[in-house]
Amino acid sequence: MENFLLSLMVNGREYSLAVPVEATLLHVLREQLHLTGTKNGCGKGYCGACTVIMGGKAIKACRTLALKASGQEVVTIEGLGTNGQLDPLQEAFIEHSAVQCGYCTPGMIMAAKALLDAQPHPSEEQIRKALAGNLCRCTGYQRIVRAIQEAAETMTGHRPRSTTVELKTSTLVGASILRSDAKDKVTGRAIYAADLFFPNMLYGQALRAQLPHAEIIRIDTSKARAMAGVEAVLTAEDVPGENSFGIIFSDQPVLCRDRVRYMGDAVALVAAISPEVASRACQEIVVEYRELPAVFSAQEALAPDAPQIHAEGNIANRITIDKGDIERGFCMADVVIENTYDTPFAEHAFLEPEAGMAVPDNDGGVTVYVGSQDPFGDRRQVAQALGLSEEKVRIVHTVTGGAFGGKDDISLQIHVALLALKTGRPAKMVFSREESMIVHPKKHPFLMRYKTGATRDGLLTAVEAQIISDKGAYASLSLPTIRNAAVHAIGPYAVPNVRVEAIGVFTNNPPAGAMRGFGVPQVAFAHELQMDALAHKLGIDPLELRLKNALKVGSVTASGEVLQHSVGLTETIRRAAEELKKMPRESGIGVGVACAFKNVGFGHGRDEPAGAEIVLGEDGQLFVHIGASELGQGINTVLQQMVAQELGIALERVQVYSGDTAMAPSCGATTASRQTFIIGNATLLAAQQARMRLLGLAEHKLKVKKEELVFKNGHIVARADPQKSLSVNDVLTVAHEQGLQVLGSSRYYPPPTTPLSPETVRSETAVTYLSYGFATQIAIVRVDQNTGQVQVLAIIAAHDVGKAINPLLVKSQIEGGCTMGVGYALLEEMVIERGITKTLNFNKYRIPTFQMAPKVLPIIVEDEEPHGPFGAKGVGEISTVPTAAAIVNAIYDATGVRITSLPATPQKIRRALLDRQESVEEWGLGVPSSSRPAYPGQGGN
């Protein structure tokens, strides 16, 4: 490729570089100057992660040719701030918790900086409009808006400038502590997997399948191997261990040998001196296929003569729950509601595409750097495929730009490790946005038929649900997802008679796996529309109907579990209703309600222990080593708070290192809303062990029995004689002098759970999960009846979280989860036609933007969980679960038409409105005012 000499100024420094003519400014900044704060989220200018300032204006570096930067002054996130002081925008982003995974943050800040330079006093509308091209999947945007508003006040002198941003340490557990990783993320110093560079490294690329279902006749790699700059071309014959992987079932090929089952299957691997050479080499590989009959829907796959995707058949799993007497339950009902609902494939849309780096060791092992939800699960699968013992494989979890379940499966970990071992050189792979969308598993699409019965006064008597899910070509995490859906299928209600059947079916579509909510958002959409329809049929306030049937302590779930404690559902309903009463009523506005519950932990009899270690550093610093992954949710900050409180030391003395399999005990995947509960308990046990060791040292120094010593204000003090005391810092110094390194080491084993079985369901002896979170959300929407366009004005979100260790982080999770739920309700659908993914980037797969994001009013309800650390449960997933149902119920409240298929697009709403109008005109009927549903909280019709 022809080069030219590029002269430009970046962050006040002049550069002259030889640059390929076709190179973008993003390429120059990242690959040549290694200014990796500027991110590549989509490569097409749709996400805004690559925003920098050039010539005083915000531009997308991925769409700007380097040629255009000649002679220009460019400012990146690394160039903000002066004399070591943060820019007011960076400070404000930290102070307002406008940072979660942090991948979008540099681009956000640069876009905001350009706005404030041009418009020092922007309105909220101007902020949202100016940053509409910058996407965020984590925060929900409103904290970003507030941060920009505050920075504007600071920069114009209307608010005093703080000299530093400090962690607030007056209280710890239960306090809104600022994120421990925020400063690195707002300055661009946080290193994600794609930001890593090693000397002499190679770039990897996978050749993907060209048909959704085909037999491989032959693979010819000769032309690719002969290309200059190509160091390795690998096929299935080069896999030294088992040529398969999978989280539960090892059914997906590392490299396909004789058959491909979906378009994301990898057929060959290339390692080359540059990404461009690797890509061209893949194009030179010749694969001869014989196309096989394929199935592209669950209904097709269930047909008696359907092509078989796997030898075991197309039905991958079937879950049934039968409680009480379903026929008798419907006989007891005065009203029965039946409807069919469907939800689509959905995409995680994390802003950071998959990336990884593998470095071979001198002893034949390998270290893989990757953003992963399950480092120890990755290690097991990588070792299996490489034919190595697990001790030879190290997984180092890097800062991760969002996951939401989509980084639970293996993506490139095995491939990059294989290339590194075969070439003896570091190897790096980075997915394009298009490859990411083709390859990684999606949210399961569900087709659901529901039948709900109730008495005249609103008591549920029976619920029957049939669920069919397209789980795609491989197992991924479909088994627990389908099981999860079945257990939660009737919603958070006490129903005496239940029948649920849930089936997962193989097709030639992309695999379906874990995504935020793990099967529960889909069934919540169905059961909450059923509850809404029931409320209107009976003339009962939708909130009152839910209160009447809500799970309480002593209630029995569909799976036969008698709830013993921490069941805060009724309080979430009451708190949400109170907030709704404060809001003004406007004509043309719709209000919708939805409730939900969501498991904490894997449950179903699965062992899920976790370990933690607290190590003492030379300067008295404490290092907490855990196997869990920080994905932007804030687990490291939460653990930091727990340890500091338990040991009576300043928060800054505690650092948490997560996800390195060589340095931490295993703890299972960061999924199932389990890490605050599981790893929190493990860390708390380690801290308690460390506390006892420090008391033992103080006992020796003070000559006071440790039973008579207490921690107080950073000191260890004799209860009977406060004059006898030592600072915790002094005791830590003594520990270091005595050579103590590991102050605390724990292995936490959660209370046992039971597998789902007919016996436990009917005898009500099940303990299905460790605990549950509960939620009530109320959506307020405006619908344009001419276009069908929906504007979500606000979402009231009341969540029982047990105990909010950090209320700021809890509220941030609720806000971000609700905004993701807005996308699921109104926008998001992976279009897959005959196995081919059509929505390949953010111009086609649309997620909420600044201009769509509603105001979210988070309400924290604390019904403490006795087994949780300090009473805490999880909140990361349930924040998304009821949102779509609440919005669609609000659409009905505003229009009188009910949408039963997600997403509720303007086209569907407009069609429904037209169909209703045509029906009215055909029969000459008016629409009586009594048929218009009442606002929740205002009584029946």
Side-chain angles (χ1 to χ4, degrees):
M1 186 181 295
E2 183 183 352
N3 288 352
F4 75 101
L5 185 64
L6 173 66
S7 296
L8 77 169
M9 183 173 287
V10 182
N11 299 332
R13 181 177 173 184
E14 292 185 2
Y15 293 91
S16 292
L17 306 163
V19 174
V21 172
E22 297 178 3
T24 63
L25 177 59
L26 180 63
H27 173 89
V28 172
L29 293 174
R30 288 185 55 82
E31 304 299 323
Q32 295 188 252
L33 300 182
H34 290 182
L35 293 171
T36 56
T38 305
K39 304 301 181 190
N40 186 358
C42 69
K44 299 292 174 62
Y46 304 128
C47 74
C50 66
T51 304
V52 299
I53 296 174
M54 186 173 79
K57 295 183 179 181
I59 58 116
K60 307 288 179 63
C62 76
R63 295 191 65 177
T64 302
L65 285 174
L67 275 167
K68 292 186 178 180
S70 182
Q72 296 278 356
E73 183 173 355
V74 176
V75 182
T76 73
I77 191 69
E78 292 91 346
L80 288 194
T82 55
N83 300 321
Q85 187 177 34
L86 297 178
D87 184 88
L89 271 165
Q90 293 168 315
E91 291 176 347
F93 268 63
I94 296 174
E95 290 280 0
H96 283 274
S97 192
V99 181
Q100 287 191 33
C101 83
Y103 198 79
C104 72
T105 302
M108 289 282 182
I109 291 175
M110 298 312 295
K113 174 68 173 171
L115 169 65
L116 296 186
D117 286 347
Q119 173 54 271
H121 302 282
S123 65
E124 179 174 339
E125 183 180 353
Q126 287 173 319
I127 292 171
R128 289 180 181 270
K129 183 177 180 181
L131 273 74
N134 288 76
L135 300 179
C136 176
R137 195 57 157 166
C138 299
T139 67
Y141 298 106
Q142 61 190 42
R143 291 183 180 275
I144 296 174
V145 171
R146 290 203 292 270
I148 295 170
Q149 290 172 324
E150 182 176 288
E153 291 178 8
T154 299
M155 294 166 75
T156 54
H158 291 86
R159 180 180 181 273
R161 172 95 182 261
S162 60
T163 55
T164 57
V165 175
E166 297 180 351
L167 297 171
K168 295 174 172 57
T169 58
S170 56
T171 56
L172 295 173
V173 169
S176 291
I177 304 297
L178 299 178
R179 294 181 63 101
S180 58
D181 58 358
K183 190 171 183 178
D184 282 344
K185 289 176 176 177
V186 301
T187 56
R189 292 200 298 259
I191 301 299
Y192 300 77
D195 301 336
L196 293 168
F197 294 89
F198 280 80
N200 201 35
M201 73 179 192
L202 298 170
Y203 294 83
Q205 178 75 49
L207 175 67
R208 302 290 170 184
Q210 295 165 291
L211 292 167
H213 197 201
E215 180 185 351
I216 297 174
I217 304 300
R218 69 182 185 95
I219 303 174
D220 183 353
T221 62
S222 57
K223 288 185 179 179
R225 293 177 190 277
M227 287 179 61
V230 172
E231 297 297 319
V233 181
L234 308 180
T235 61
E237 284 67 29
D238 298 296
V239 178
E242 294 183 30
N243 187 27
S244 62
F245 65 92
I247 298 175
I248 297 175
F249 303 106
S250 189
D251 66 340
Q252 189 163 354
V254 174
L255 293 171
C256 294
R257 184 187 308 274
D258 51 16
R259 191 175 182 184
V260 295
R261 291 181 172 87
Y262 87 113
M263 297 293 286
D265 266 331
V267 177
L269 284 177
V270 171
I273 59 172
S274 73
E276 295 76 19
V277 172
S279 180
R280 290 199 300 272
C282 282
Q283 295 171 24
E284 293 297 326
I285 298 172
V286 176
V287 184
E288 184 181 340
Y289 294 102
R290 182 176 69 84
E291 189 168 3
L292 297 173
V295 288
F296 302 115
S297 73
Q299 292 84 345
E300 286 181 55
L302 288 172
D305 58 348
Q308 299 299 290
I309 310 305
H310 294 275
E312 299 79 11
N314 289 344
I315 296 180
N317 52 287
R318 186 191 303 267
I319 307 295
T320 58
I321 295 174
D322 208 343
K323 171 189 165 189
D325 185 333
I326 195 71
E327 286 77 16
R328 182 171 180 272
F330 284 117
C331 287
M332 293 168 59
D334 297 308
V335 174
V336 175
I337 301 287
E338 292 189 71
N339 279 302
T340 299
Y341 306 92
D342 68 88
T343 61
F345 276 111
E347 160 69 23
H348 305 80
F350 35 73
L351 266 288
E352 177 207 25
E354 295 86 341
M357 172 77 78
V359 181
D361 300 336
N362 293 329
D363 62 355
V366 66
T367 298
V368 180
Y369 299 86
V370 65
S372 167
Q373 292 182 238
D374 189 4
F376 285 88
D378 289 357
R379 184 180 70 171
R380 171 182 58 80
Q381 294 174 78
V382 171
Q384 172 184 293
L386 297 181
L388 298 174
S389 65
E390 290 190 20
E391 290 71 26
K392 291 277 192 179
V393 177
R394 178 185 181 187
I395 306 294
V396 179
H397 173 70
T398 55
V399 180
T400 304
F404 318 112
K407 293 177 181 175
D408 213 349
D409 296 80
I410 288 289
S411 56
L412 46 68
Q413 294 91 318
I414 297 173
H415 290 167
V416 76
L418 185 59
L419 290 174
L421 288 183
K422 289 292 185 178
T423 62
R425 293 166 63 174
K428 181 177 182 177
M429 291 182 74
V430 181
F431 280 7
S432 67
R433 176 58 57 185
E434 290 78 7
E435 186 174 16
S436 175
M437 286 191 162
I438 290 169
V439 172
H440 76 249
K442 311 301 173 197
K443 181 192 283 286
H444 289 71
F446 278 15
L447 178 65
M448 299 167 282
R449 190 186 71 79
Y450 267 70
K451 182 179 179 181
T452 305
T455 62
R456 192 170 288 104
D457 60 356
L459 279 177
L460 295 171
T461 62
V463 175
E464 184 175 24
Q466 294 176 322
I467 301 163
I468 300 174
S469 178
D470 180 344
K471 65 182 294 178
Y474 298 105
S476 182
L477 281 162
S478 272
L479 173 59
T481 302
I482 301 300
R483 185 172 56 203
N484 225 37
V487 169
H488 293 80
I490 70 169
Y493 307 112
V495 184
N497 306 291
V498 175
R499 178 176 292 160
V500 178
E501 181 182 49
I503 302 173
V505 183
F506 285 120
T507 69
N508 294 112
N509 289 321
M515 187 172 172
R516 197 176 200 170
F518 215 71
V520 186
Q522 297 94 315
V523 295
F525 173 65
H527 66 62
E528 288 307 287
L529 266 65
Q530 286 288 100
M531 290 295 283
D532 205 58
L534 193 61
H536 291 299
K537 182 83 170 178
L538 293 170
I540 298 176
D541 183 296
L543 283 164
E544 287 298 324
L545 181 68
R546 288 166 171 84
L547 268 175
K548 188 182 289 282
N549 293 282
L551 291 172
K552 305 173 181 66
V553 171
S555 296
V556 184
T557 68
S559 60
E561 180 172 5
V562 181
L563 299 177
Q564 305 290 341
H565 40 64
S566 190
V567 188
L569 177 60
T570 57
E571 185 63 16
T572 69
I573 296 172
R574 292 191 180 100
R575 293 282 298 278
E578 288 171 6
E579 191 64 37
L580 179 63
K581 289 176 183 176
K582 301 175 187 176
M583 305 187 76
R585 304 298 195 187
E586 300 178 37
S587 67
I589 299 299
V591 178
V593 180
C595 293
F597 74 140
K598 171 70 178 67
N599 60 294
V600 174
F602 300 138
H604 292 282
R606 181 173 170 183
D607 291 333
E608 44 183 321
E613 285 187 351
I614 299 177
V615 178
L616 177 61
E618 291 186 4
D619 56 356
Q621 196 82 2
L622 294 184
F623 301 99
V624 182
H625 294 284
I626 59 168
S629 300
E630 167 64 73
L631 303 168
Q633 79 278 35
I635 187 64
N636 287 3
T637 303
V638 165
L639 299 181
Q640 188 184 27
Q641 289 175 253
M642 290 183 185
V643 172
Q645 170 145 323
E646 189 67 20
L647 298 182
I649 59 176
L651 200 69
E652 296 87 346
R653 299 292 296 275
V654 181
Q655 292 184 38
V656 179
Y657 287 94
S658 55
D660 186 336
T661 60
M663 296 177 65
S666 66
C667 69
T670 300
T671 186
S673 301
R674 62 190 291 274
Q675 288 301 1
T676 296
F677 190 111
I678 301 284
I679 200 64
N681 270 319
T683 302
L684 188 56
L685 285 175
Q688 290 167 349
Q689 189 181 101
R691 180 187 178 96
M692 294 307 296
R693 287 191 174 175
L694 295 180
L695 285 173
L697 293 172
E699 175 185 61
H700 180 73
K701 284 286 184 181
L702 296 173
K703 310 301 181 186
V704 176
K705 289 185 177 180
K706 61 184 176 183
E707 292 79 11
E708 299 299 320
L709 297 174
V710 294
F711 282 75
K712 189 175 181 180
N713 298 326
H715 289 71
I716 299 177
V717 182
R719 189 180 285 111
D721 183 3
Q723 297 300 313
K724 290 186 176 182
S725 75
L726 281 172
S727 74
V728 176
N729 290 342
D730 289 342
V731 180
L732 289 171
T733 300
V734 172
H736 178 65
E737 290 172 350
Q738 293 188 6
L740 288 177
Q741 290 184 327
V742 179
L743 291 183
S745 179
S746 73
R747 192 74 178 158
Y748 170 69
Y749 293 87
T753 57
T754 57
L756 184 66
S757 73
E759 292 74 28
T760 57
V761 170
R762 290 192 171 276
S763 62
E764 299 181 357
T765 57
V767 182
T768 313
Y769 296 108
L770 299 174
S771 186
Y772 298 89
F774 296 88
T776 299
Q777 291 184 6
I778 301 177
I780 298 95
V781 309
R782 178 183 287 117
V783 183
D784 186 320
Q785 305 242 358
N786 293 317
T787 65
Q789 196 72 40
V790 178
Q791 181 185 8
V792 183
L793 303 174
I795 296 173
I796 300 166
H799 285 259
D800 166 28
V801 302
K803 169 68 178 177
I805 304 296
N806 187 318
L808 179 64
L809 297 184
V810 169
K811 289 180 179 179
S812 298
Q813 285 292 295
I814 293 171
E815 291 165 7
C818 286
T819 303
M820 183 178 282
V822 171
Y824 189 48
L826 302 177
L827 293 173
E828 299 181 33
E829 181 177 16
M830 288 296 293
V831 178
I832 301 169
E833 295 179 0
R834 301 194 63 77
I836 299 172
T837 302
K838 298 293 185 177
T839 40
L840 291 175
N841 214 310
F842 292 123
N843 63 325
K844 297 290 185 182
Y845 191 86
R846 296 173 56 228
I847 66 174
T849 67
F850 272 97
Q851 292 176 302
M852 282 197 64
K855 180 180 181 181
V856 178
L857 304 171
I859 299 169
I860 295 175
V861 173
E862 295 180 309
D863 192 331
E864 294 192 5
E865 164 56 58
H867 296 296
F870 299 99
K873 300 188 286 192
V875 71
E877 291 183 280
I878 194 172
S879 55
T880 298
V881 171
T883 312
I887 290 170
V888 174
N889 283 339
I891 292 170
Y892 176 79
D893 187 56
T895 65
V897 298
R898 195 174 297 284
I899 306 301
T900 58
S901 172
L902 290 181
T905 61
Q907 294 82 1
K908 289 179 185 176
I909 296 169
R910 179 63 181 150
R911 181 69 259 169
L913 287 166
L914 288 173
D915 288 347
R916 186 187 65 178
Q917 184 62 34
E918 289 169 2
S919 176
V920 168
E921 291 173 355
E922 179 181 352
W923 293 97
L925 302 175
V927 181
S929 60
S930 62
S931 72
R932 292 286 293 114
Y935 281 114
Q938 289 191 325
N941 292 334

